[in-house]
């Protein structure tokens, strides 16, 4: 039995080993392990479990590492599944789900993973939350564990929070956190206009955001767990934290102390700020690239918004994008840059698409094909992109760069102002 | 802002009370019109009414319309017609008392991306501020960009988006 399991592991590892982290690689004809998900017949917590099953299905699909099989097979949690029936359907892996609640309100998701070919239980794991409303994170954790069990490329980003600002009314916006599908949402800042949230640390305990509840637009650092606040700086006109570097020691901030929007580098240890751009028009949206030695940003210095690069400490500016005349937002990860491009130059052209480029090459890759696609943000590993799509309805999108696939999760409710992952 | 709102409520309440009492008054009991003392009581710089194309303020004892200034798509330079509006606003605003702050709010339509829109709103506010300062406004002028966060019209039409690409003025003591 161990030999058969070893063979499956080697098979799966060899499939994933082909994904080498280079963004342009697109796998075609790759055979993925087929996984079936079922709720145990003797489980009592069926409502939330149904939602968990759906979330787990989405996670496996988004991972790009499994093919989710549509199965009807059910079995009790402590029984062996219908191995023969599942095998006949070509299923390689089977996940049986159950759940329990204790008297303290803790909700526990129980999972058993079977290797159908080896007829063996290969992974049994429970996941507990004190708040049942956070059930979707149990699904994300289970997906990550099963993915890790087969040593597939990490999908640990699924477990992270996104932080976003939502317009509540004219001149009012609240800040919320949620999971990457926005199935779970929780308000963390409310009242007045609160915009441009960014995670301040890897642990996702603190955020930066711009508050209009002071005399001037003010950049605030907030610990969302103990509510401690630190006012970083203020500015007439506008203020936005555009990027936080990997270790949280440097920020790129768009500020306008003299009524002129320019990009500043802020050192969180010394609280010193240094002006990087000095153009008399619009310079915004600075993003660190090439180990924080350089920034990419949006500027209208050629008459329309476009993407430029500048080495920190130098005044020379280089145009980075020669596609379209209206590219007004940019995000980066390492040397990779994604920008949002408006295909028509007037307000009636309703198509914004996302494009991937590198600061080290001339490559240009289109990532979306229709609709309004905005707010691109790289995952922490740089291999996935979160974005918002508006095409009649609004959806949150995930692009899996290595797999050349994208997924949409419909959004209901209010308009999102800005999002960070 | 809260102060302005409070003043507006008080003024409205006074005007409303006055109107009612006039309606019920006996002609033989006619006393001196009460409107003059009420107007005199309104502080300079008070917001009197918000209209579609601008805001009415009490300036130098007069009810004055400070018009919104509008911009073309993705632009922050003033067209000749809108520059005339800004110049006209300047001559009215140059009359405000020196302890008044003129807040210039820049707004955009929903197109464009988050930060760029806020910068565009700021540049629009800056264009209007430049005209005010160049045309005799000596009081403190501050700018705030509200980006696309403060639309006056939410329909998905060209006309509606044009209404949102605007600069508004508020007076603050």
């Amino acid at each position: 039995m161990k030999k058969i399991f070893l063979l499956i592991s080697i098979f799966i590892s060899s499939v994933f080993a082909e994904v080498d982290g280079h963004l342009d690689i697109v796998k075609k004809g790759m055979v993925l392990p087929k996984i079936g998900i079922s709720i145990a017949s003797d489980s009592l917590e069926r409502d939330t479990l149904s939602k968990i099953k759906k979330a787990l299905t989405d996670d496996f699909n988004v991972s790009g590492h499994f093919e989710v099989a549509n199965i009807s097979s059910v079995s009790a949690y402590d029984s062996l599944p219908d191995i023969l029936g599942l095998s006949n359907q070509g299923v390689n892996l089977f996940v049986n789900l159950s759940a329990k609640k204790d008297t303290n309100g803790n909700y526990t998701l129980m999972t058993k993973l079977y290797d159908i070919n080896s007829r063996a239980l290969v992974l049994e794991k429970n996941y507990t939350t004190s708040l049942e409303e956070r059930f979707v994170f149990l699904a994300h954790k289970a997906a990550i564990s099963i993915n890790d069990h087969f040593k597939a490329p990490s999908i640990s980003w699924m477990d992270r929070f996104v932080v976003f600002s939502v317009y509540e009314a004219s001149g009012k916006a609240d800040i919320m956190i949620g999971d990457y599908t926005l199935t779970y949402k929780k308000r963390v800042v409310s009242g007045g206009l609160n915009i441009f949230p960014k995670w301040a640390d890897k642990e996702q305990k603190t955020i930066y955001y711009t508050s209009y509840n002071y005399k001037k637009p003010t950049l605030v650092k907030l610990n969302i767990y103990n509510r401690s606040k630190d006012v970083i700086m203020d500015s007439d006109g506008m203020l936005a934290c555009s990027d936080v570097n990997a270790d949280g020691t440097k920020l790129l901030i768009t500020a306008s102390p003299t009524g002129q929007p320019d990009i500043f580098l802020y050192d969180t240890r010394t609280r010193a700020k240094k002006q990087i751009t000095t153009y008399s028009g619009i310079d915004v949206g600075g993003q660190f690239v090439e180990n924080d030695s350089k920034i990419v940003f949006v500027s209208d210095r050629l008459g329309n918004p476009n993407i430029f690069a500048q080495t920190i400490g130098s005044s020379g500016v280089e145009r980075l994008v020669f596609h379209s005349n209206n590219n007004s937002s940019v995000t980066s990860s390492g040397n990779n840059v994604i920008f949002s491009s408006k295909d028509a130059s007037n307000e009636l052209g309703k198509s914004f698409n996302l494009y991937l480029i590198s600061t080290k090459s001339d490559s240009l890759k289109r990532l979306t094909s229709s609709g309004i696609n905005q707010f691109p943000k790289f995952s922490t590993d740089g291999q996935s992109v979160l974005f918002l799509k508006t095409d009649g309805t609004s959806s949150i999108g995930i692009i899996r760069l290595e797999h050349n696939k994208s997924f949409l999760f419909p959004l209901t409710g209010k308009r999102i102002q800005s999002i960070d992952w | 802002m809260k102060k302005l709102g409070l003043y507006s409520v008080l003024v409205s309440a006074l005007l409303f009370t006055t109107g009612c009492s006039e309606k019920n008054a006996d002609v033989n009991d006619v006393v001196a019109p009460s409107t003059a003392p009420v107007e005199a009581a309104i502080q300079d710089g008070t917001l009197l009414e918000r209209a579609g194309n601008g805001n009415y303020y009490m300036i130098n004892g007069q009810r004055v319309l400070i018009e919104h200034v509008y911009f073309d798509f993705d632009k922050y330079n003033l067209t000749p017609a809108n520059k005339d509006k800004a110049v006209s606003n300047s001559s009215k605003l140059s009359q405000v008392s020196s302890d008044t702050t003129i807040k210039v709010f820049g707004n955009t339509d929903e197109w464009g991306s988050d930060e760029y829109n806020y910068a565009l709103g700021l540049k629009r506010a800056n264009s209007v501020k430049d005209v005010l300062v160049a045309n005799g406004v000596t009081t403190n002028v501050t700018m705030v960009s509200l980006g696309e966060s403060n639309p006056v019209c939410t329909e998905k039409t060209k006309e509606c988006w044009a209404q949102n690409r605007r600069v508004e003025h508020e007076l603050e003591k």
Side-chain angles (χ1 to χ4, degrees), chain A residues 171 212 237 242 254 280 285 300, chain B residues 76 112 115 118 123 143 145 148-149:
Chain A
Y212 275 60
S242 311
T254 299
S280 61
D300 74 333
Chain B
Y76 51 82
E115 266 190 57
Y118 277 78
K123 293 296 287 182
M143 296 179 290
S145 174
E148 74 280 3
S149 73

Side-chain angles (χ1 to χ4, degrees), chain A residues 56-298:
Chain A
L56 194 53
T57 301
D58 288 342
D59 286 349
F60 283 137
N61 281 328
V62 170
S63 78
H65 302 159
F66 301 91
E67 180 190 344
V68 179
N70 189 13
I71 57 163
S72 55
S73 176
V74 290
S75 56
Y77 191 66
D78 289 327
S79 304
L80 265 182
D82 174 14
I83 301 285
L84 187 61
L86 289 165
S87 183
N88 286 341
Q89 292 177 65
V91 173
N92 306 111
L93 301 164
F94 176 77
V95 186
N96 209 6
L97 305 176
S98 190
K100 61 184 177 189
K101 262 195 251 186
D102 68 18
T103 49
N104 295 325
N106 292 321
Y107 185 92
T108 299
L109 168 68
M110 299 145 67
T111 66
K112 284 183 178 176
L113 172 68
Y114 293 89
D115 182 335
I116 298 303
N117 299 336
S118 66
R119 299 166 181 253
L121 173 68
V122 293
L123 184 68
E124 180 176 4
K125 222 165 172 180
N126 295 349
Y127 310 88
T128 300
T129 177
S130 56
L131 297 168
E132 190 176 342
E133 62 182 11
R134 291 195 181 192
F135 68 86
V136 73
F137 284 102
L138 302 181
H140 298 334
K141 284 177 194 298
I144 291 166
S145 286
I146 291 170
N147 183 75
D148 288 349
H149 179 74
F150 293 108
K151 297 185 171 50
S154 176
I155 53 169
S156 60
W157 50 265
M158 284 186 181
D159 195 22
R160 288 178 64 82
F161 284 111
V162 295
V163 62
F164 56 101
S165 172
V166 178
Y167 285 126
E168 297 290 334
S170 266
K172 292 185 189 307
D174 290 349
I175 292 174
M176 305 181 83
I177 56 171
D179 75 303
Y180 83 96
T181 64
L182 299 195
T183 304
Y184 170 79
K185 295 188 275 280
K186 183 182 168 66
R187 201 172 306 274
V188 293
V189 179
S190 61
L193 185 60
N194 304 287
I195 51 179
F196 299 123
K198 290 278 180 304
W199 287 114
D201 54 1
K202 277 184 193 166
E203 295 74 32
Q204 299 196 307
K205 288 184 175 169
T206 50
I207 58 171
Y208 293 108
Y209 70 98
T210 302
S211 170
Y212 275 60
N213 296 335
Y214 297 80
K215 203 164 184 179
K216 297 176 181 178
T218 300
L219 184 64
V220 176
K221 186 178 186 183
L222 170 73
N223 184 312
I224 59 175
Y225 289 91
N226 66 19
R227 309 300 298 171
S228 68
K229 256 185 200 177
D230 183 14
V231 169
I232 304 298
M233 62 186 281
D234 63 17
S235 171
D236 277 322
M238 76 166 287
L239 188 62
C241 175
S242 311
D243 198 14
V244 181
N245 75 339
D247 64 7
T249 57
K250 293 177 197 167
L251 313 180
L252 288 172
I253 293 172
T254 299
S256 50
T258 58
Q260 181 57 47
D262 273 308
I263 297 168
F264 294 77
L265 177 67
Y266 180 86
D267 188 318
T268 59
R269 294 161 298 186
T270 63
R271 299 180 80 100
K273 58 175 182 285
K274 177 181 165 190
Q275 186 163 356
I276 300 179
T277 65
T278 54
Y279 170 59
S280 61
I282 294 175
D283 285 341
V284 291
Q287 300 281 302
F288 289 108
V289 287
E290 298 181 16
N291 292 324
D292 306 343
S293 65
K294 210 171 183 180
I295 64 165
V296 294
F297 62 103
V298 178

Side-chain angles (χ1 to χ4, degrees), chain A residues 167 170-171 195 212 237-238 242 254 256 259-260 280 282 284-285 300 326 328-329 345-347 352 374-375 415, chain B residues 73-74 76 110-116 118-119 122-123 126 143-146 148-151 158 161 165:
Chain A
Y167 285 126
S170 266
I195 51 179
Y212 275 60
M238 76 166 287
S242 311
T254 299
S256 50
Q260 181 57 47
S280 61
I282 294 175
V284 291
D300 74 333
N326 198 322
S328 61
S329 82
S345 59
N346 62 58
E347 74 269 45
F352 284 80
Q374 292 175 296
F375 307 109
R415 192 170 169 218
Chain B
F73 173 71
D74 219 6
Y76 51 82
E110 66 187 69
W111 299 106
S113 295
D114 45 13
E115 266 190 57
Y116 191 82
Y118 277 78
L122 174 61
K123 293 296 287 182
N126 205 16
M143 296 179 290
V144 178
S145 174
L146 295 174
E148 74 280 3
S149 73
N150 195 32
K158 198 176 173 182
W161 295 323
R165 296 192 294 263

